[in-house]
Amino acid sequence: MSSDSENEQIETTSDVEPASKATPAKEIELPKFEKGIADKITEKFGSKTKVAFVKPDRVRIDVGRDDIKEVAEFLRDVLNFDHAESVSGVDYPQDKEIEVVYHLGSYTDPSLSRQILILTTRAQREENPIPGNDSTKLPSLREIFYSVEFHEREIFEMFGVYFQGHPDNRRLLLPEDWADLPPLRKDFAIKGR
Amino acid sequence: MNPELPPGLALQKVDERIMTLNVGPQHPGSGHMRIIVQIDGDFIVACDPDPGYVHRGEEKMAEYRNYITNIPHLERPVIHDSCNVLYPYVLGVEEILGIEVPERAKYVRVIASELNRCIYTMYWLAIYGIFLGHSTMFMWPAGDRELLIDLMEKMTGARVTHAHFVPGGVRNDLPPNFEDVCLRQVNYFEKRIKEYAAIFYDNPILIARTKDTGILSRQDAIRLGTTGSVLRASGVDYDLRKKEPYDVYEELDVHTNVMKEGDSYARSRVPWLDMLESCAIIRQALQKMPKSGSVRVKLKPNPKGKGLDSVYKRVESGRGSLGCYIVSDAKPEPYRVKMSVGSFRNLIALPYLLKGEKLGNMPSVYWSLNYWPVEADR
C-alpha cells in the first residue's frame, strides 16, 4: 500500500536531533491525576523516593532497596494498588546494578483502572554470580503483593537476584541442573552472535 | 542442609501417606506442562506447577534483533493468537519512535486481533473438550476455526503466524471484497458457536465435572493478580478493551462478560461469551472502518529510540492482559523486552484451586484457567 502520509512522523525517528522535539512536548503539561499520585508519594516519603517520570496513565517511582517494602505497603493500603501485573529485571553491567521493576495495577479502585505504577529498585550486581549466595539480594514484596510470587522466582533464576523473605525460593522455568550464568544477564551471550 | 546448594535443590521430607505424582509434561491432562501433585488417596493436598518445558528465550533473542526483525519471532509464544501477542510490542515501539498510525490501519488491527482471539479460543475449547473426553467438542471447534483461519489467510497471506502488525500500521491492506466475505463468515460463525451451548455448556456431564470445582473467590482473584477470563469469571469487571482502550476500541461498543461463580464452569464459559462479543465487535468495526486510505507509515530501515526510555503497553488478549515492557537505549535493538503474559499470571492460582480437589477434576480445573503452556515460559 502506498503511503501518502510519509510526513513529519518519519522525521521523529531520525537520530539527528530527536531530543529537541521530545522535551518541550513533555514539559507543556503533566497529566493532572498522575501528578497527584506522584505528589502523594513524594509528600509521604520525601527524598527516599524519586519520581522518574509522569506520563499519561504511567508513574514511575525509583526507590532504594531498604525502603521498598515501606513504599509498597503505602501503595497498597493508601493508594489502592492491589496487585502486581509484572516484575521485570533489567541488567545494567556498566552501573554494576540490576534493576527490578514492579508494574502495579488496581482492580478494586475504578479511578485507577487505567493506571500502572512502576516501582523500581536496584540490587548490587556481581561479576561472578552465585545465585542465592552472593550480595545480589533484595527484600521480597510477596507478603505485600501475593501476585509477585512466580514473577520473583523468575527474576531469581533469570538474573540471580535473591529475594529475601520469599517463602518459596526455587527455580521455576530453567532446568533443574542449570549451572551456567543467569541467562537474561547481558554477559550471557547467545551462541553464534 | 548443605549451604552450598542453591535454593531449589534442597531435599524435602516426605510423609508416608502422601504420594507425589508427576502429571506431564506430555500428558492428555496437562498439555506441555508438568504438574507435580501430591495426593492423599484421591485428594490433592499440594500442587507445584512446573511450566518450563516448551521453549524459552524470546526475551533474550529480542535483545539481539532490531525492532522490526523482532516481529516474526515475538509472536511465537502463542501462534494461534499471534496478532494479540504482538500487539503490545508494536504499540510500545510506536510510542518509543513517536509514530501516529493511520485510521484505517487501526480498524484493520482491531478486526485481525478479534478474529485471532476467536481462533485461539476455539483451539482452547477444542482441547478443553478432549480433556474431558468429549470428542465432539474437539472436532466441532477444530473444524469451525478453519473459517476464520481462511479469513486471516486472505487478510495476511499466512494461515497461522501472520506477522501482520508492524510499527506504523499493518503490513498490507485488505484484499478487495474482504469486508463482505468477512461479514458473511463471521455471521455464520456466530450462528455456529451458539450451537455449542446445547452440546457442551448444557451438558450434564460437563456441569457435573466443572460446577463448584476449583472455586476462586473475588477477593482471591484480585489478591493473586489473575487476569482475563479467570478474573472475570470471579466477578471482577475488568477488560482492558474497555478500561484502557487502545487503538479504536474507544469508538466501538464493547461489552464485558462477567460471571459471579468463580468455578471452573464460569471460567470455561466466559471465553465462549467473549467470542460472541468478538463477532459483534468485528461487525461494528467493518461498518465504521474508513473505506480507503493508507494503512502503514513507512519507517527508516533501522529505527532508533530516543535515549534511555521505557514503555509499558498492554492489551487484552485471549488469555487476559498482555503487557510488554520495552527499555530502549537509542540503539536499533531494544535493550530489554519483557512480556507479561496472562498464562503466567493465572498460573499462580493453580495451586490454590487444586488444593482439596479430587485428582479426577485436575484436567477440568487446570484447563479452565485458559492456560497456554508455551506462552508461560516465553
PDB file of all heavy atoms in Angstrom, chain B residues 111-130:
ATOM      1  N   ILE B 111      -9.893  -5.696  13.791  1.00  0.00           N
ATOM      2  CA  ILE B 111     -10.548  -6.856  13.166  1.00  0.00           C
ATOM      3  C   ILE B 111      -9.631  -8.069  13.261  1.00  0.00           C
ATOM      4  O   ILE B 111     -10.059  -9.162  13.653  1.00  0.00           O
ATOM      5  CB  ILE B 111     -10.890  -6.538  11.702  1.00  0.00           C
ATOM      6  CG1 ILE B 111     -11.971  -5.460  11.642  1.00  0.00           C
ATOM      7  CG2 ILE B 111     -11.363  -7.781  10.987  1.00  0.00           C
ATOM      8  CD1 ILE B 111     -12.186  -4.894  10.274  1.00  0.00           C
ATOM      9  N   ALA B 112      -8.347  -7.873  12.944  1.00  0.00           N
ATOM     10  CA  ALA B 112      -7.417  -9.008  12.977  1.00  0.00           C
ATOM     11  C   ALA B 112      -7.289  -9.561  14.382  1.00  0.00           C
ATOM     12  O   ALA B 112      -7.276 -10.783  14.580  1.00  0.00           O
ATOM     13  CB  ALA B 112      -6.050  -8.574  12.453  1.00  0.00           C
ATOM     14  N   SER B 113      -7.208  -8.695  15.385  1.00  0.00           N
ATOM     15  CA  SER B 113      -6.989  -9.217  16.733  1.00  0.00           C
ATOM     16  C   SER B 113      -8.242  -9.899  17.263  1.00  0.00           C
ATOM     17  O   SER B 113      -8.148 -10.889  17.993  1.00  0.00           O
ATOM     18  CB  SER B 113      -6.503  -8.114  17.667  1.00  0.00           C
ATOM     19  OG  SER B 113      -7.570  -7.368  18.142  1.00  0.00           O
ATOM     20  N   GLU B 114      -9.426  -9.418  16.872  1.00  0.00           N
ATOM     21  CA  GLU B 114     -10.646 -10.103  17.315  1.00  0.00           C
ATOM     22  C   GLU B 114     -10.797 -11.458  16.623  1.00  0.00           C
ATOM     23  O   GLU B 114     -11.191 -12.439  17.244  1.00  0.00           O
ATOM     24  CB  GLU B 114     -11.871  -9.239  17.051  1.00  0.00           C
ATOM     25  CG  GLU B 114     -11.966  -7.990  17.900  1.00  0.00           C
ATOM     26  CD  GLU B 114     -11.999  -8.271  19.378  1.00  0.00           C
ATOM     27  OE1 GLU B 114     -12.556  -9.287  19.791  1.00  0.00           O
ATOM     28  OE2 GLU B 114     -11.430  -7.465  20.138  1.00  0.00           O
ATOM     29  N   LEU B 115     -10.466 -11.509  15.334  1.00  0.00           N
ATOM     30  CA  LEU B 115     -10.512 -12.797  14.634  1.00  0.00           C
ATOM     31  C   LEU B 115      -9.539 -13.773  15.291  1.00  0.00           C
ATOM     32  O   LEU B 115      -9.847 -14.942  15.506  1.00  0.00           O
ATOM     33  CB  LEU B 115     -10.146 -12.615  13.160  1.00  0.00           C
ATOM     34  CG  LEU B 115     -11.215 -12.024  12.244  1.00  0.00           C
ATOM     35  CD1 LEU B 115     -10.620 -11.721  10.893  1.00  0.00           C
ATOM     36  CD2 LEU B 115     -12.367 -12.987  12.087  1.00  0.00           C
ATOM     37  N   ASN B 116      -8.371 -13.252  15.634  1.00  0.00           N
ATOM     38  CA  ASN B 116      -7.365 -14.117  16.249  1.00  0.00           C
ATOM     39  C   ASN B 116      -7.792 -14.599  17.617  1.00  0.00           C
ATOM     40  O   ASN B 116      -7.493 -15.722  17.997  1.00  0.00           O
ATOM     41  CB  ASN B 116      -6.059 -13.334  16.390  1.00  0.00           C
ATOM     42  CG  ASN B 116      -4.994 -13.900  15.525  1.00  0.00           C
ATOM     43  OD1 ASN B 116      -4.275 -14.778  15.938  1.00  0.00           O
ATOM     44  ND2 ASN B 116      -4.933 -13.446  14.305  1.00  0.00           N
ATOM     45  N   ARG B 117      -8.486 -13.744  18.348  1.00  0.00           N
ATOM     46  CA  ARG B 117      -8.972 -14.169  19.659  1.00  0.00           C
ATOM     47  C   ARG B 117      -9.924 -15.344  19.491  1.00  0.00           C
ATOM     48  O   ARG B 117      -9.856 -16.319  20.234  1.00  0.00           O
ATOM     49  CB  ARG B 117      -9.666 -12.993  20.345  1.00  0.00           C
ATOM     50  CG  ARG B 117     -10.164 -13.284  21.744  1.00  0.00           C
ATOM     51  CD  ARG B 117     -11.104 -12.204  22.217  1.00  0.00           C
ATOM     52  NE  ARG B 117     -10.617 -10.887  21.851  1.00  0.00           N
ATOM     53  CZ  ARG B 117      -9.741 -10.208  22.549  1.00  0.00           C
ATOM     54  NH1 ARG B 117      -9.279 -10.698  23.664  1.00  0.00           N
ATOM     55  NH2 ARG B 117      -9.335  -9.029  22.148  1.00  0.00           N
ATOM     56  N   CYS B 118     -10.795 -15.270  18.484  1.00  0.00           N
ATOM     57  CA  CYS B 118     -11.732 -16.372  18.238  1.00  0.00           C
ATOM     58  C   CYS B 118     -10.974 -17.633  17.837  1.00  0.00           C
ATOM     59  O   CYS B 118     -11.297 -18.724  18.304  1.00  0.00           O
ATOM     60  CB  CYS B 118     -12.714 -15.993  17.148  1.00  0.00           C
ATOM     61  SG  CYS B 118     -13.885 -14.743  17.655  1.00  0.00           S
ATOM     62  N   ILE B 119      -9.962 -17.476  16.983  1.00  0.00           N
ATOM     63  CA  ILE B 119      -9.200 -18.647  16.543  1.00  0.00           C
ATOM     64  C   ILE B 119      -8.549 -19.322  17.742  1.00  0.00           C
ATOM     65  O   ILE B 119      -8.583 -20.540  17.902  1.00  0.00           O
ATOM     66  CB  ILE B 119      -8.148 -18.231  15.498  1.00  0.00           C
ATOM     67  CG1 ILE B 119      -8.834 -17.818  14.204  1.00  0.00           C
ATOM     68  CG2 ILE B 119      -7.174 -19.367  15.225  1.00  0.00           C
ATOM     69  CD1 ILE B 119      -7.908 -17.198  13.193  1.00  0.00           C
ATOM     70  N   TYR B 120      -7.970 -18.503  18.620  1.00  0.00           N
ATOM     71  CA  TYR B 120      -7.318 -19.078  19.805  1.00  0.00           C
ATOM     72  C   TYR B 120      -8.344 -19.755  20.701  1.00  0.00           C
ATOM     73  O   TYR B 120      -8.150 -20.870  21.169  1.00  0.00           O
ATOM     74  CB  TYR B 120      -6.569 -17.992  20.597  1.00  0.00           C
ATOM     75  CG  TYR B 120      -6.211 -18.480  21.964  1.00  0.00           C
ATOM     76  CD1 TYR B 120      -5.145 -19.350  22.126  1.00  0.00           C
ATOM     77  CD2 TYR B 120      -6.976 -18.157  23.072  1.00  0.00           C
ATOM     78  CE1 TYR B 120      -4.846 -19.876  23.354  1.00  0.00           C
ATOM     79  CE2 TYR B 120      -6.691 -18.672  24.300  1.00  0.00           C
ATOM     80  CZ  TYR B 120      -5.624 -19.529  24.439  1.00  0.00           C
ATOM     81  OH  TYR B 120      -5.334 -20.062  25.647  1.00  0.00           O
ATOM     82  N   THR B 121      -9.450 -19.060  20.964  1.00  0.00           N
ATOM     83  CA  THR B 121     -10.420 -19.601  21.909  1.00  0.00           C
ATOM     84  C   THR B 121     -11.034 -20.899  21.393  1.00  0.00           C
ATOM     85  O   THR B 121     -11.312 -21.806  22.180  1.00  0.00           O
ATOM     86  CB  THR B 121     -11.513 -18.559  22.187  1.00  0.00           C
ATOM     87  OG1 THR B 121     -10.890 -17.314  22.486  1.00  0.00           O
ATOM     88  CG2 THR B 121     -12.360 -18.960  23.361  1.00  0.00           C
ATOM     89  N   MET B 122     -11.223 -20.989  20.066  1.00  0.00           N
ATOM     90  CA  MET B 122     -11.742 -22.230  19.512  1.00  0.00           C
ATOM     91  C   MET B 122     -10.770 -23.379  19.745  1.00  0.00           C
ATOM     92  O   MET B 122     -11.170 -24.493  20.082  1.00  0.00           O
ATOM     93  CB  MET B 122     -11.981 -22.080  18.004  1.00  0.00           C
ATOM     94  CG  MET B 122     -13.098 -21.163  17.663  1.00  0.00           C
ATOM     95  SD  MET B 122     -14.653 -21.753  18.272  1.00  0.00           S
ATOM     96  CE  MET B 122     -15.269 -22.551  16.837  1.00  0.00           C
ATOM     97  N   TYR B 123      -9.492 -23.100  19.596  1.00  0.00           N
ATOM     98  CA  TYR B 123      -8.500 -24.154  19.821  1.00  0.00           C
ATOM     99  C   TYR B 123      -8.491 -24.572  21.292  1.00  0.00           C
ATOM    100  O   TYR B 123      -8.444 -25.751  21.634  1.00  0.00           O
ATOM    101  CB  TYR B 123      -7.117 -23.650  19.401  1.00  0.00           C
ATOM    102  CG  TYR B 123      -6.116 -24.744  19.196  1.00  0.00           C
ATOM    103  CD1 TYR B 123      -6.017 -25.406  17.993  1.00  0.00           C
ATOM    104  CD2 TYR B 123      -5.263 -25.130  20.228  1.00  0.00           C
ATOM    105  CE1 TYR B 123      -5.117 -26.417  17.808  1.00  0.00           C
ATOM    106  CE2 TYR B 123      -4.358 -26.139  20.054  1.00  0.00           C
ATOM    107  CZ  TYR B 123      -4.286 -26.784  18.847  1.00  0.00           C
ATOM    108  OH  TYR B 123      -3.395 -27.785  18.667  1.00  0.00           O
ATOM    109  N   TRP B 124      -8.561 -23.554  22.148  1.00  0.00           N
ATOM    110  CA  TRP B 124      -8.589 -23.836  23.584  1.00  0.00           C
ATOM    111  C   TRP B 124      -9.813 -24.668  23.938  1.00  0.00           C
ATOM    112  O   TRP B 124      -9.749 -25.617  24.709  1.00  0.00           O
ATOM    113  CB  TRP B 124      -8.582 -22.500  24.342  1.00  0.00           C
ATOM    114  CG  TRP B 124      -8.914 -22.627  25.765  1.00  0.00           C
ATOM    115  CD1 TRP B 124      -8.072 -22.963  26.771  1.00  0.00           C
ATOM    116  CD2 TRP B 124     -10.207 -22.440  26.359  1.00  0.00           C
ATOM    117  NE1 TRP B 124      -8.752 -23.004  27.960  1.00  0.00           N
ATOM    118  CE2 TRP B 124     -10.061 -22.686  27.731  1.00  0.00           C
ATOM    119  CE3 TRP B 124     -11.449 -22.094  25.865  1.00  0.00           C
ATOM    120  CZ2 TRP B 124     -11.122 -22.594  28.610  1.00  0.00           C
ATOM    121  CZ3 TRP B 124     -12.522 -21.998  26.741  1.00  0.00           C
ATOM    122  CH2 TRP B 124     -12.349 -22.251  28.102  1.00  0.00           C
ATOM    123  N   LEU B 125     -10.949 -24.301  23.341  1.00  0.00           N
ATOM    124  CA  LEU B 125     -12.196 -25.004  23.623  1.00  0.00           C
ATOM    125  C   LEU B 125     -12.123 -26.450  23.138  1.00  0.00           C
ATOM    126  O   LEU B 125     -12.595 -27.365  23.806  1.00  0.00           O
ATOM    127  CB  LEU B 125     -13.330 -24.253  22.912  1.00  0.00           C
ATOM    128  CG  LEU B 125     -14.756 -24.515  23.310  1.00  0.00           C
ATOM    129  CD1 LEU B 125     -14.923 -24.277  24.793  1.00  0.00           C
ATOM    130  CD2 LEU B 125     -15.667 -23.590  22.536  1.00  0.00           C
ATOM    131  N   ALA B 126     -11.502 -26.643  21.961  1.00  0.00           N
ATOM    132  CA  ALA B 126     -11.350 -27.992  21.430  1.00  0.00           C
ATOM    133  C   ALA B 126     -10.557 -28.847  22.410  1.00  0.00           C
ATOM    134  O   ALA B 126     -10.922 -29.989  22.699  1.00  0.00           O
ATOM    135  CB  ALA B 126     -10.655 -27.929  20.074  1.00  0.00           C
ATOM    136  N   ILE B 127      -9.477 -28.286  22.951  1.00  0.00           N
ATOM    137  CA  ILE B 127      -8.663 -29.080  23.869  1.00  0.00           C
ATOM    138  C   ILE B 127      -9.394 -29.283  25.191  1.00  0.00           C
ATOM    139  O   ILE B 127      -9.278 -30.331  25.822  1.00  0.00           O
ATOM    140  CB  ILE B 127      -7.295 -28.411  24.056  1.00  0.00           C
ATOM    141  CG1 ILE B 127      -6.571 -28.407  22.721  1.00  0.00           C
ATOM    142  CG2 ILE B 127      -6.461 -29.157  25.070  1.00  0.00           C
ATOM    143  CD1 ILE B 127      -5.217 -27.833  22.767  1.00  0.00           C
ATOM    144  N   TYR B 128     -10.169 -28.286  25.586  1.00  0.00           N
ATOM    145  CA  TYR B 128     -10.955 -28.467  26.817  1.00  0.00           C
ATOM    146  C   TYR B 128     -11.920 -29.642  26.634  1.00  0.00           C
ATOM    147  O   TYR B 128     -12.096 -30.452  27.543  1.00  0.00           O
ATOM    148  CB  TYR B 128     -11.723 -27.181  27.133  1.00  0.00           C
ATOM    149  CG  TYR B 128     -12.208 -27.085  28.556  1.00  0.00           C
ATOM    150  CD1 TYR B 128     -11.364 -27.416  29.601  1.00  0.00           C
ATOM    151  CD2 TYR B 128     -13.487 -26.660  28.853  1.00  0.00           C
ATOM    152  CE1 TYR B 128     -11.788 -27.326  30.915  1.00  0.00           C
ATOM    153  CE2 TYR B 128     -13.924 -26.563  30.154  1.00  0.00           C
ATOM    154  CZ  TYR B 128     -13.078 -26.899  31.179  1.00  0.00           C
ATOM    155  OH  TYR B 128     -13.491 -26.821  32.473  1.00  0.00           O
ATOM    156  N   GLY B 129     -12.499 -29.733  25.450  1.00  0.00           N
ATOM    157  CA  GLY B 129     -13.389 -30.840  25.189  1.00  0.00           C
ATOM    158  C   GLY B 129     -12.680 -32.174  25.263  1.00  0.00           C
ATOM    159  O   GLY B 129     -13.150 -33.111  25.911  1.00  0.00           O
ATOM    160  N   ILE B 130     -11.518 -32.262  24.647  1.00  0.00           N
ATOM    161  CA  ILE B 130     -10.839 -33.560  24.612  1.00  0.00           C
ATOM    162  C   ILE B 130     -10.276 -33.914  25.988  1.00  0.00           C
ATOM    163  O   ILE B 130     -10.180 -35.078  26.337  1.00  0.00           O
ATOM    164  CB  ILE B 130      -9.757 -33.589  23.506  1.00  0.00           C
ATOM    165  CG1 ILE B 130      -9.467 -35.015  23.047  1.00  0.00           C
ATOM    166  CG2 ILE B 130      -8.466 -32.948  23.946  1.00  0.00           C
ATOM    167  CD1 ILE B 130     -10.542 -35.612  22.215  1.00  0.00           C
TER     168      ILE B 130
END
